[in-house]
Every structure is written in structure tokens, then in C-alpha cells.
Amino acid sequence: MGLYSVPFQIQRAIARPIPPLSTRFSIRLRQGCSAILGLSLGLLALEFPAHSQALDESALDHTAYQAGSVAEAAAPSAELDGLAVDQMAQVTSVSQLADVSPGDWAYEALAYLANDEAQGGLDCLEGYPSGLYRGGQAMTRYEFAAGLAACLDAVTGRLEQLDPEAIARIEALQREFAPELATLGDRLDELEAAVSELEANQFSTTLRFNTLASFNFSHAFAGGDILAEGITVPGVSPAARRPARQFDLQTGQFGDPVVETVRDDPSTTLSYSTYFVFTGSFQQTDELTMILAMGNGDPPASAFSSAGFTSSFGIPYADSNPVTPLSPNSVGLFELKYAFPLFSEDFRLVVGPRILPFRHFDQNPFTNIVFGSSGLNFYQSTLAGNGLSGAGGLFEWTLSPQWLLRAGYLSRNDRSQQIFDEPFISPGGDGPANPRRGFFNGNNNILAELTYSPSFNANIRLLYNRSRLEAPPPFPGVPEGLAVFPFLLTSLRGAVDDGFGGTVDDIIAHNFVLNFDWALSPRFAVFGRYSFSTSEIDPINPLREGGNVEVQAFQLGFAFPDLGKPGALGTLAATIPFDVTDGEEFLVGGYGDGGTQVDVLASYYFPLNDNVGLVPMFFVSFNPNNFSENPPVYSIILRTQFLF
């Protein structure tokens, strides 16, 4: 699907290592000489007219060469029928080869190589003693070298036997084309110098370096005062609210969620985010990926968000700090993983201490964060919680050209609770490296996704994600069961307690996503998602009854590839990010007054050249924070994007 088949181009700017430039240039020169001589083509297969092209590609395919061995290359094919020990025998006429006929596409070339001098040939071709040439059989590099040497010897011998008249004609041609030959020689010298310069200054012969950088000019405003659940957390970036319930002094009970009113529009911001991608390979079929990131994004629209809706709406992925909760402008590890084939290229394993599941699951070519509809409520399901990094592994199994299966286990290590005074609540972070939590006891996801591609232009994905969300421990000295931190569902969307301000036990959430894209023509496509999530609520207080919180989400969008220019992409999408269908009594952030938030996002990726693009975006959120009485929230973003 070309440019848009990559959900995050920088993530697929993971080119396999290649031979040094001088090696590749030497290969090209050798191939050029062979092409000029035109003598060895008859050594190739008879049955495949494109075989000579395949040889050219395989000569440059360092991956294929590394994956094999001399022994494998020399192994006889099934066509030998046990005759691998046959010795080659000289032939003096193409008619001696029983499996060669005048109808074969390479017959004339074979005749020229096989026939003796009396028949106008070079007499340099060998066959098997059984009288067969076996043109459809793969040849080893040794066989190729031997055949080429024999034919070159024959040519040399002919040149030595040329009469003076023929030599004079050759010398005349040489004088006639001397300027062209000199120009060609000069160009070869220049190419050799350029190749040497590139090779001396390239980053690495086995390591690729890419950069994705974005400058974001953002402005957000509302049509009036905005109601937002939660208490503003001072000094955090991006702006966030802590979920809490109002305390009734008369009853001594916690009641409705705390609601604040946002009266002022935030200021316009200019932010950046940068990703440094290092990709290496050891065996040409594997990939070691490390991404470092930094940024200072504090999206202004977050000022309007309820607790549990932090950095949502249509805020673009690029307009955020990619290594939160690290402070702005800090360099942090964004991803570190190793991918390699097991058994075959159709089955690949990915393991690592920091894997981004959104780079493997719930992908969609028209919602990728570089070119597509990249709002935080758009680029993936708002309920599946796939955006948070984790340690563990997954596999990708290509069952057939139409079916792809992915599955894995990831223990979250994003330390997302740190914004709520993490040293007290979660010492050491909520990752698998924390001995208080560990690889299996902390927050983790079990994911499985089946992709069906009925055609080149359509994909349907079914994702299941079982999430274990560990309840945060109480503050020291606070009795168990009292409200200290109602924790968040589904990747910072929605916050729950026991319905009365008390804490709950670990939550098991079952999340289901249907994700599709369909290119109806080269210039028009539709895409969308439907998500459903059910979370089990188990109060710590035995007097409180538990239950389930059930939420659904919808997305529908239209894409316009090559809009205005080849390589451009326009998208228009609408999302209902958090529609509560049951269990609203447990929600202390995200339910609002029962309204339904609807986000609409228009984006346009316009490439200025291969490396620089402009991405204007506009979004409007109706009924923000699920308050039906809230006026719309608007935002305009202009992103300048650099990809090298």
C-alpha cells in the first residue's frame, strides 16, 4: 500500500544493513563487464526467461547471501534425481544436449557457446554425461566461475587468431569512439571517488540512523465555560486533573465527582518533539531497534480535559512530551527491542525491555501518527490501551498472503502513575524492573490480533487485549479502603473507585477492537474502528458491591491519498472516544453528566519534498468531557515535520 502502509514511517525506516558502498560498486562493475561480454548468459536457466534478471538481483541481495552458505548453495536440487555426483562433460554441439530444443528462449545463446569453431561457436560449454544440460537447475558460484573462465579463454584464443584486416577494423572503431570511451572512463573515476567519500563518511555499514522531528504551533479555545471533572494537579505537564469525589459533611460520605469550571482559554504554544531511531542487524534478517526521544509538548487543549481524559480530544501525537513523566527537554528511551525470524521469515519474534504495542497492534494506514489522522483519540482505539510501552515479547506469524496473526505479553513500564506524586504512591515506578511489582505482578497486557486482507486494498483486524491494572497502594498511614487515588482505566481514559470514594482491587479489563481500512480507489479510502471494553470492579471494602464498567467507542473516517500532490494525504474523521453503557456509578472521572463526546478531526499531510512536510490540523470536540451542556472545544495546529 505504498507510503501509507507504514503506521509510523520512522518505525519502518529500519532498513536492513547493506554491504559497504565499494563492495556494491564493484559488483555493479563486474556485472557491467559480464553484460558487455554477453558470453555467460547461456549458462543460466532455459525455463525462466527472467532468470538473468534474478541473478542480477541475487548478486546484490546481501540478505539472501548471508542467510545461506556455500554448502547450501552447492546442494543439488530435486531435479538431479540422485545424480549429484555426475561430472561435467565437454560438448561440441548444442545438438548433443537432449533437453535443449530450438524452441527454448536461450537456444541461440547456448548454440553459440556449445558449438565448436567450425559451426561458428566458442566451444566452451559443458553438459552432464547423461546428455542433459538441465537449464532449469540452480548453479553454484563455482560452476559460474568455471564456465565464465572457459568462455573467456575461448574469446582470448580467437582474438589471438585475428587477421591483420580484422585487427585494423577494431583499431578504427577504437579511434572513432575514443572520446566516448574517455568520457566513460572519467565518469567511472568520478563515481569511484564519490563512492569512496560516501563510504568514508557514512554513519555505519551495519547501523542505520533516522530522525523524525516536529515543530508544533498550537492554539485551542472554547465556545464558553467548560466543566471538567477532577482537581487540577499543579505543576505537571501536560495539564492534568486528579479524580476525586465531593465529601458531604452531613452524611460523612463521598458523593458526586468534583467538577471544576475552566473559564479562560489557554495561550498559543510552540513546541517540538524529536525521535532518534537507531536500527542495526547482525544476520541481515534481524533488527535491533533503539529509539531515543525528547520534546516539550504541553498541548493547550489539555487545559479543558477532565480527569481521565488528559491529553485526548484531537490533540496530535506529536504535540506532546514523548517521554512523560520525564521533564520537558529530557532525552529518554522510547523503545528498545530485537526482532528476528524463527523457523522461517513468515514467523518473527520481537522481544525487548521497552516495546511500543501501537507499533504492532491496532495499526491503520490512515491513522498513523506521521501522515494520517494522528490525534490522540484517533491514531488507535481509545479503549484498548495499546499506546503504553511494555517489557516482554510478541510474535508475528504470516499464515498466508491474506492472514496475519500477532500475539504477545507486555508488562507496562511507562511509570504513568508518577504524575500523581509517584514517590509516595509507586516507589520505583510501575514497571517490571521494580521489585515491588515485577514482570508478572504489575500492570500488563495480553494481546492477540488477527488481520485478514481480502485484497491488496482492504484490511480487517480483530484485536483482543486483556489488561491487568494494578491498584495503587495507599499512602502511608491511610487506612485501607479509603479514597486516596481512584485509578485510571484504558490508558488514561476514565477513572474509577468503589462508587463511594473507596479504593478497589486490581482491575481485569477485557478490550475488543474491530479495525478496518478500505481503499475504494487510488484517491479515496474509508477507515474506522469499533471498540468495546468491560472492566471488573472489586471494592476493597467488603460492604461495597462490585460490578463492571462497560464502555464503547466508535470511529469513522475518510482518506484522500495524493490530494493536491503525489504523496500527500488528507483525512477527515469522527470519533466517539468514551461512551459509557454500564457502571457509571463507579466512574469518578469521565462520565460527565451522561452526555456523549464527539471529536471531529481534519488533517492534511503535504510533502514539500522527500524529507519535509507541512501538516495543518483542525479539530472540534462536541460535548467535551461527556458534559452535554459544555460548548465545543476547538483547536488549530500547524506542524512542520522533518524526516531523515
Side-chain angles (χ1 to χ4, degrees), residues 590-612:
Y591 182 67
D593 62 3
T596 302
Q597 177 175 316
V598 179
D599 298 332
V600 178
L601 174 65
S603 69
Y604 181 49
Y605 170 79
F606 182 80
L608 299 178
N609 54 45
D610 291 340
N611 302 107
V612 183

Side-chain angles (χ1 to χ4, degrees), residues 89-103:
Q90 188 73 32
V91 295
T92 58
S93 174
V94 70
S95 61
Q96 295 177 257
L97 302 174
D99 57 346
V100 175
S101 64

Side-chain angles (χ1 to χ4, degrees), residues 187-224:
R187 293 183 62 184
L188 287 176
D189 291 340
E190 293 174 1
L191 284 174
E192 287 180 342
V195 167
S196 299
E197 176 70 15
L198 288 173
E199 188 175 44
N201 293 282
Q202 64 181 325
F203 182 76
S204 170
T205 59
T206 58
L207 186 66
R208 176 66 62 86
F209 173 64
N210 295 94
T211 300
L212 172 67
S214 299
F215 301 161
N216 312 287
F217 186 82
S218 303
H219 178 66
F221 60 97

